Amino acid sequence: MKKVITYGTYDLFHQGHYNLLKRAKELGDYLIVGVTTDHFDEARGKVNVVDSLMTRIENVRATGFADEIIVEDHVGQKIEDIQKYNVDIFTLGSDWVGTFDYLKQFCEVIYLDRTPDVSSTQIRNNSFKIINLGIVGTGRIVPRFLSEIKYVSGVNVVCTYNPYEKRKIVFDDKYTLKNYSAEFGTFLNKVDAVYIASPNETHYEYAKKALENGKHVLVEKPLCFTKKEAEELYNYAKSNDLVLMEAIKTAYCPGFQQLMNVANSGVIGDVKDIEATYTRLASSGSRERTDANYGGSFLEFGSYTLLPALKLLGRDYTNLRFKTIYDENGVDIYTKTELEFADGMGSSKNGVAVKSEGNLVISGTKGYILAPSPWWLTRRFEVRYEDPNKVEVYEPSFQGDGFRYEISEFVLKINGVEKNGYKYTAGEAIVMAEIIERYMEQKKG
Ligand code: CTP
C-alpha cells in the first residue's frame, strides 16, 4: 500500500484545496492529511486564520479524499509523521517547491501544480472589506506599530492625527502618512477605525469621539481614569456594534494565553499569589519622567502587571493598596500595588526610575510558575515544584514585538470573526479602570 501525506491550513476551504487533495490521493492508496493548529499557524506568522481547527478538519473530511486526518502543531513534525506512518510520498502545492526537499532522505517528495487564482489569503481579503485605520498621535510607538501591522492582512494605515503637527510625517525614514492637524472630524471621515496612541489624559476623549462617529477603537492603556468612563465607553461600543479594545499587548500574546491556561489547569494546585514586575528606566526628559499628573510608572505599566492577577484571581478584590515613591517633581518613579482577594493575593511593581527584575511568579498550593523577563511578551515560562529537579519548560512562539497579535485580534473582532473577547474582557477592562481610579485618588490625596 502506497501512503501519501500532505499538510495545510485549509482555511476558508476552496477549489485549490480540493484539487490538491484529489491529486494527492491519486498518487497512492492511502492519504494522510495534516491540518495545522492555530498556534502552529501563529508561530509561522499566519495570524488571520478564520475557520476553527474543527471546521478546517471537517472541510477536509467532507472531500472524502482523506483516509486519515492528523493535526500538525510543531516544527519538525513532518519528519516524525513520515517515519511514524511509514509514508512513501510527501506532497504539497507548487508554491512550496524546494522548501521540503530535506524530506527526500525519508520519502519521495512531489510538488503538485497549484490551482491558479485562488488562495485562502485572497478569499480572506475579498470577504472582508479592507479596514482603513487612522492613528491618533505620532509619537515613538507609531513606527513600531507600522512595522508590525504589515503582518496582519485586511487593514491599512491611511493617516495620522496630531493637532500640533501640520506636515506629512515620515516615520523612521520609512513610512510617510498624511497628517490631519486642525480637524479631528475630517480625520475621522477618512477611516473605519482608529488606534489611539496620544498622551494618556487624551485617550478617553478621543475614544469617545471616535466611537460616537461610528469608528472602531483600539486605544493605548490606560483607556481612562475612572470606572464610570470605562463603563460608558464599553456600553456605547456594545450597543452600537463597535469594537473597543484596550491595547494591553500582553493579553493578546499567544504565550500569555498558554501561561494563563497552564496556571488554571491545576498543575500548580490552587493559585494563591501572583507577583508581577515591569520596570523600564525612562530618560529624565521623557513624558514618563516629567508629567507628574499623567506620566509615571503606574500609569505607564500598571496594566501589564495587574493583568495576570485579574485574569487568575478574578475581579472581586477585597483590598487594594498602593505605595508610591515620588521624585522631587511629584512624578511616580516606583509603585507597588497590593491586591487582596478572598482566596489569594497579588502584587505588582512598576518603575520608571527604579530598576528591578521583571519576573512574573504565580504561586500555587502544589507548585509555581516562573516567567522571566520579558514575561509580558511571554516567550518562556517554567512550572516548578518542591522537587527542584522537576521543571517543565514552555517556550511558546512569539514573533515581532507583540503588536501583530493585538492588531490581528482587533481586525478579527471588527470582521465579526472573534466575538468573545475572552483574552481581555470588557469586565476586566472596567475593573482595571476602577483600580486606576483608586490610584489617581490616592495620588491626589
Ligand atoms: N493549494 C493549491 N492551490 C491553491 C491554493 C493552495 O494547490 N490555489 C495547496 C497548497 O499548495 C497546499 C494546500 O493547498 O499544498 C494547503 O494550502 P494552504 O496553505 O492551506 O492554502 P492557501 O490558499 O495557500 O492559504 P494561504 O493563502 O493562507 O497561504
Side-chain angles (χ1 to χ4, degrees):
M1 185 169 72
K2 219 180 217 182
K3 279 192 173 176
V4 182
I5 198 162
T6 189
Y7 295 85
T9 306
Y10 307 105
D11 190 28
L12 302 166
F13 200 87
H14 56 66
Q15 191 64 39
H17 295 144
Y18 184 90
N19 296 347
L20 192 286
L21 292 176
K22 183 166 188 286
R23 279 178 293 151
K25 171 74 179 183
E26 286 163 4
L27 291 174
D29 310 300
Y30 190 87
L31 177 65
I32 304 171
V33 181
V35 182
T36 52
T37 63
D38 297 351
H39 281 131
F40 187 53
D41 277 323
E42 274 171 4
R44 303 190 301 151
K46 259 195 184 182
V47 288
N48 269 3
V49 174
V50 173
D51 287 337
S52 69
L53 176 60
M54 287 317 286
T55 304
R56 293 182 285 117
I57 289 175
E58 272 317 309
N59 289 337
V60 169
R61 192 191 308 284
T63 64
F65 298 129
D67 296 286
E68 190 168 347
I69 298 176
I70 58 174
V71 294
E72 184 187 24
D73 71 354
H74 59 271
V75 178
Q77 187 183 323
K78 291 186 176 75
I79 299 179
E80 288 164 25
D81 293 339
I82 288 168
Q83 297 177 105
K84 181 165 146 193
Y85 296 101
N86 230 337
V87 166
D88 301 288
I89 298 173
F90 169 91
T91 186
L92 222 57
S94 50
D95 42 328
W96 296 100
V97 168
T99 310
F100 294 101
D101 287 357
Y102 69 89
L103 295 174
K104 284 182 181 164
Q105 51 187 316
F106 302 101
C107 66
E108 195 180 341
V109 173
I110 299 177
Y111 300 102
L112 294 169
D113 280 346
R114 199 178 151 88
T115 307
D117 303 327
V118 59
S119 73
S120 304
T121 305
Q122 201 182 37
I123 302 176
R124 277 194 292 266
N125 289 345
N126 293 345
S127 38
F128 303 111
K129 193 176 149 278
I130 298 279
I131 298 160
N132 287 324
L133 183 101
I135 302 180
V136 180
T138 54
R140 288 169 298 174
I141 208 165
V142 176
R144 286 172 58 202
F145 187 86
L146 290 172
S147 67
E148 281 277 301
I149 201 167
K150 291 195 300 251
Y151 297 96
V152 184
S153 52
V155 58
N156 270 339
V157 179
V158 291
C159 52
T160 57
Y161 173 78
N162 175 341
Y164 308 108
E165 182 67 68
K166 292 221 158 35
R167 298 163 297 115
K168 271 189 177 181
I169 304 184
V170 183
F171 297 94
D172 268 7
D173 297 331
K174 267 196 264 177
Y175 314 97
T176 308
L177 288 173
K178 180 165 173 52
N179 180 56
Y180 287 87
S181 60
E183 238 307 86
F184 193 56
T186 318
F187 162 81
L188 286 180
N189 284 339
K190 306 280 174 202
V191 302
D192 310 303
V194 294
Y195 167 54
I196 300 172
S198 52
N200 291 341
E201 67 277 19
T202 64
H203 292 171
Y204 165 76
E205 278 303 327
Y206 282 133
K208 188 171 167 181
K209 274 191 202 141
L211 289 170
E212 284 170 356
N213 281 278
K215 311 300 171 187
H216 303 288
V217 172
L218 175 65
V219 54
E220 267 309 322
K221 62 205 161 33
L223 163 65
C224 55
F225 299 110
T226 67
K227 181 182 181 187
K228 194 167 152 278
E229 287 171 347
E231 278 173 341
E232 175 204 334
L233 294 182
Y234 275 99
N235 287 340
Y236 187 92
K238 189 163 182 218
S239 45
N240 289 280
D241 254 337
L242 293 166
V243 176
L244 170 64
M245 239 178 84
E246 195 175 2
I248 300 181
K249 277 203 297 295
T250 308
Y252 310 102
C253 288
F256 185 73
Q257 303 296 317
Q258 194 182 7
L259 198 165
M260 293 295 106
N261 296 341
V262 170
N264 272 324
S265 73
V267 288
I268 59 164
D270 297 332
V271 173
K272 293 293 181 193
D273 186 36
I274 295 164
E275 295 171 80
T277 304
Y278 185 125
T279 64
R280 186 162 67 214
L281 296 183
S283 63
S284 55
S286 65
R287 183 179 46 78
E288 293 91 321
R289 290 284 307 276
T290 52
D291 183 349
N293 293 325
Y294 302 108
S297 75
F298 182 78
L299 291 181
E300 288 301 322
F301 308 131
S303 318
Y304 289 135
T305 43
L306 292 170
L307 181 69
L310 291 189
K311 296 228 69 100
L312 293 172
L313 295 174
R315 302 184 224 153
D316 301 322
Y317 59 87
T318 51
N319 221 330
L320 170 63
R321 263 191 315 275
F322 302 96
K323 287 177 193 150
T324 299
I325 300 173
Y326 296 99
D327 71 4
E328 60 284 7
N329 303 314
V331 175
D332 156 7
I333 57 166
Y334 185 70
T335 287
K336 221 182 223 185
T337 309
E338 282 166 12
L339 279 163
E340 282 169 28
F341 297 81
D343 203 26
M345 59 184 104
S347 64
S348 128
K349 292 196 284 184
N350 305 116
V352 289
V354 173
K355 191 67 195 162
S356 186
E357 182 63 40
N359 273 344
L360 168 64
V361 183
I362 301 170
S363 310
T365 49
K366 293 184 184 158
Y368 66 100
I369 298 175
L370 171 66
S373 162
W375 63 264
W376 46 94
L377 308 179
T378 329
R379 294 193 178 109
R380 180 189 168 91
F381 61 92
E382 296 178 0
V383 183
R384 297 184 176 192
Y385 303 90
E386 187 62 44
D387 175 358
N389 296 316
K390 191 177 162 201
V391 178
E392 288 141 21
V393 177
Y394 291 79
E395 290 186 323
S397 80
F398 176 86
Q399 300 196 334
D401 71 359
F403 279 104
R404 67 187 66 182
Y405 302 111
E406 108 191 342
I407 301 170
S408 160
E409 178 87 358
F410 187 51
V411 169
L412 289 173
K413 277 188 176 159
I414 292 174
N415 290 335
V417 177
E418 160 62 63
K419 290 205 174 72
N420 303 332
Y422 70 93
K423 292 178 186 165
Y424 187 58
T425 64
E428 286 161 350
I430 289 165
V431 178
M432 192 71 90
E434 177 185 274
I435 295 175
I436 291 170
E437 181 171 3
R438 298 277 301 279
Y439 166 85
M440 295 304 268
E441 281 165 9
Q442 67 92 41
K443 193 169 149 164
K444 274 187 208 133

